[in-house]
Amino acid sequence: MQNFITLAQIDEAAQAIKSRISIQPVVGIILGSGLNGLADSVQNPVYIPYGEVPHFPVSTVEGHAGRFVIGELEGKPVLVMQGRIHYYEGYTMQQVTLPIRVMQRMGIPNLIVTNAAGGVNPNFTPGDVMLITDQINFVGMGGLNPLIGPNFDEIGFRFSDMSQPYDREYADLARKIAKEKGITLQEGVYTGLSGPSFESPADLRFLHMVGTDAVGMSTVPEVIIARHGNMRVLGISGISNKANLDGSTITSHVEVMEAGKIITPKIETIVRGMLHVM
Ligand code: HPA
């Protein structure tokens, strides 16, 4: 059997963070590529680089700072991940999702996940934001489910329910906030791939056919682990580029980062609104 991260190691990481903060965060927030800005608004911030947390992998991607920012947003104690860990960096699925396990052991009951994604739904335009209503675990279906390995019975069941990955009540609240603030909120299914290459036109036509609205390289494993531990999840994708179903344009990381500038204020408004009800 492979070497899996143990609950004792997770607790060591959780303890290392707890020892450096004096608040109890109630919401974990993961910021996707180009969406780092929100972390700068955190009040009374404590910064903890991932490299200073035992057993933590370090994010290596441009646009991902790789640290926790812990403090208050809208008066709510939050733990923000400025940058996430991706499977394509070469880490195991357990390492990729370790931050979620740590949140669970810190007693954080809510998770807001954001990401940059390619718009597969032809009605989406770069700069749009999409409420994630469900997800397709493309990587996990092929054998890379992050729950593979010994089950943590203290946290959740061996065969974890995934009938409601994204909390319906939170989704309704997000719709309401977007409407009040005049933000057009698209909705749909997020499909998680491994990356790091972007999709070929045939990949994208396939993903479209099976019901994908937005495609990206993250989020799905995190949400599986979050639900295993019964966290309530809100997911928002920033549509950074139009998926290129006919091969006529090129997708680049620069494009993803640029769209982030338009998307960030919209996501920030929704997240701020949500913090009042979480
Ligand atoms: N494909 C996969 N991941 C992405 C994309 C995309 O087009 N855009 C941003 N992340």
Side-chain angles (χ1 to χ4, degrees), residues 9 40 49 51 76 85 89 92 96 102 129 140 217 233 235 253 259 278:
Q9 289 173 319
D40 300 330
K76 269 275 152 79
I85 299 140
E89 292 172 77
T92 66
V96 167
V102 168
V129 282
M217 307 174 188
V233 182
H253 190 55
M278 283 181 140

Side-chain angles (χ1 to χ4, degrees), residues 116-118 198-199 215-217 240-241 243 251 256:
F198 289 114
E199 303 73 36
V215 62
M217 307 174 188
S240 53
N241 55 285
T251 304
V256 173

Side-chain angles (χ1 to χ4, degrees), residues 127-195:
D128 278 354
V129 282
M130 182 191 93
L131 177 71
I132 308 176
T133 52
D134 204 347
Q135 66 182 24
I136 296 177
N137 178 18
F138 198 76
V139 179
M141 282 183 207
L144 281 166
N145 191 298
L147 289 169
I148 287 174
N151 186 51
F152 298 135
D153 296 330
E154 300 86 336
I155 298 180
F157 297 118
R158 166 78 293 183
F159 300 102
S160 191
D161 175 62
M162 281 297 286
S163 60
Q164 194 179 152
Y166 297 89
D167 192 277
R168 289 182 198 142
E169 196 183 326
Y170 283 171
D172 273 343
L173 289 163
R175 288 182 186 105
K176 196 163 148 252
I177 292 160
K179 197 166 178 200
E180 276 168 16
K181 301 288 182 185
I183 296 167
T184 303
L185 189 59
Q186 306 282 13
E187 295 196 11
V189 173
Y190 175 93
T191 296
L193 307 184
S194 77

Side-chain angles (χ1 to χ4, degrees), residues 63-144:
H64 285 258
R67 63 182 182 183
F68 289 109
V69 184
I70 301 156
E72 288 108 32
L73 256 184
E74 298 294 307
K76 269 275 152 79
V78 295
L79 176 140
V80 179
M81 286 185 70
Q82 199 172 22
R84 58 152 59 83
I85 299 140
H86 298 84
Y87 183 69
Y88 61 71
E89 292 172 77
Y91 299 112
T92 66
M93 279 293 178
Q94 262 207 319
Q95 287 176 306
V96 167
T97 54
L98 175 61
I100 313 297
R101 285 300 190 208
V102 168
M103 288 180 199
Q104 289 168 345
R105 298 303 272 181
M106 288 177 67
I108 302 176
N110 300 295
L111 178 67
I112 300 178
V113 275
T114 69
N115 57 54
V120 174
N121 184 321
N123 298 326
F124 293 177
T125 310
D128 278 354
V129 282
M130 182 191 93
L131 177 71
I132 308 176
T133 52
D134 204 347
Q135 66 182 24
I136 296 177
N137 178 18
F138 198 76
V139 179
M141 282 183 207
L144 281 166

